[in-house]
Amino acid sequence: MSDTLTLAGVSLESRFFLGTAGYPSPAVLVDAIQASGAQVLTVGLKRTLQAGDNGALAQAMAAGTAQGARLLPNTAGCRSAREAVQLAHMARELYGTAWIKLEVIGDDHTLQPDPFELVAAAAELAREGFVVFPYCTEDLILGRRLLDAGCPLLMPWGAPIGSGQGLLNLHGLRTLRERLPDTVLVIDAGLGAPSQAARAMELGFDAVLLNSAVAQAGDPVAMAGAFGDAVSAGRRAFRAGLMAPQAFAVASTPVSGHAFLLGDA
């Protein structure tokens, strides 16, 4: 049975989105993309513009798109709605896509999104024809405001960016999934292990986006493959239907009465 994910009219076979920053080399990035099976690649425009020689990175990105991946520029590093909107317009011109991962950071220590600037930027970009992928917290009310602003999906964090702590607020994430059953939800940021990605998918989230856990691994290519497998396994488990946890033991092969042997009269 097909289980494609449709985003803004685009059908994706993979539910693993991969970031492209911090790899040991462009060649390793290309191999990691291939191993991951990812069809959405994020790229930071500020990082690209600040790089002295980004020709190698451009070649790596071209190799990724040649494998069928779609670019998702982001506004990483922006601190205000105005700055994020300006950067989004530059990204659309440079990469030729209306897709934008919207990041507006409100705290330098946690890199937590600024909810007020985020909603303001999302509303303006949606009016201007962008497909806005907002990086947000698991706050339900913020999520609703972003959807009302025109975002077609939400990208709540699992934990602070690059922390590798996994899913810190399971209650909040479950609430978001339960209260927004028809909204595409992508866990974005904070995952450090494939098991955490599988857990997110088992909760019913639609996809996972990460960067540091792969780029900073001892073997990024192998780790990319591991995360790709975990995302796929978690999704299959969710669709199959997980057993409900119990507060007591339940024998898998229950018997009653006295012990017996097969063949007894």
Side-chain angles (χ1 to χ4, degrees):
M1 181 184 297
S2 176
D3 187 31
T4 59
L5 174 63
T6 301
L7 297 176
V10 177
S11 296
L12 304 171
E13 297 296 330
S14 172
R15 292 171 180 264
F16 181 26
F17 303 172
L18 189 63
T20 59
Y23 286 80
S25 70
V28 171
L29 170 58
V30 170
D31 290 343
I33 293 170
Q34 184 172 13
S36 72
Q39 292 179 290
V40 175
L41 306 175
T42 64
V43 56
L45 181 56
K46 276 196 170 187
R47 176 172 59 90
T48 302
L49 295 175
Q50 291 170 356
D53 177 13
N54 55 38
L57 176 61
Q59 292 178 3
M61 300 302 296
T65 55
Q67 295 175 19
R70 188 181 183 97
L71 296 184
L72 177 61
N74 67 42
T75 62
C78 291
R79 297 297 193 276
S80 69
R82 180 179 180 181
E83 184 182 11
V85 168
Q86 290 175 340
L87 197 64
H89 280 278
M90 295 175 64
R92 184 160 63 178
E93 291 297 322
L94 181 61
Y95 295 110
T97 177
W99 284 22
I100 192 75
K101 181 189 171 187
L102 179 61
E103 298 184 31
V104 186
I105 301 303
D107 181 76
D108 290 336
H109 179 68
T110 64
L111 299 181
Q112 182 170 334
D114 182 322
F116 305 101
E117 295 294 303
L118 184 65
V119 171
E124 183 171 348
L125 290 172
R127 285 195 301 268
E128 295 173 355
F130 285 87
V131 180
V132 182
F133 293 58
Y135 164 62
C136 57
T137 64
E138 71 279 12
D139 183 88
L140 174 61
I141 307 307
L142 172 58
R144 285 174 170 164
R145 295 292 181 269
L146 288 166
L147 294 173
D148 291 343
C151 299
L153 74 161
L154 300 175
M155 302 182 75
W157 66 354
I161 294 173
S163 69
Q165 296 182 72
L167 307 177
L168 290 183
N169 185 358
L170 284 174
H171 173 74
L173 292 171
R174 285 196 185 100
T175 299
L176 198 65
R177 179 68 288 172
E178 291 169 0
R179 298 296 293 158
L180 301 174
D182 300 322
T183 299
V184 172
L185 299 178
V186 180
I187 288 290
D188 176 14
L191 302 186
S195 58
Q196 297 165 355
R199 180 62 171 141
M201 299 302 292
E202 289 168 359
L203 289 175
F205 282 78
D206 297 284
V208 164
L209 190 158
L210 57 89
N211 188 165
S212 300
V214 170
Q216 297 177 16
D219 185 340
V221 178
M223 188 61 76
F227 267 103
D229 290 342
V231 169
S232 179
R235 176 63 181 177
R236 292 198 304 272
F238 171 74
R239 296 191 75 200
L242 297 167
M243 68 174 289
Q246 303 285 348
F248 47 83
V250 179
S252 58
T253 54
V255 295
S256 61
H258 62 279
F260 64 92
L261 294 175
L262 294 178
D264 282 358

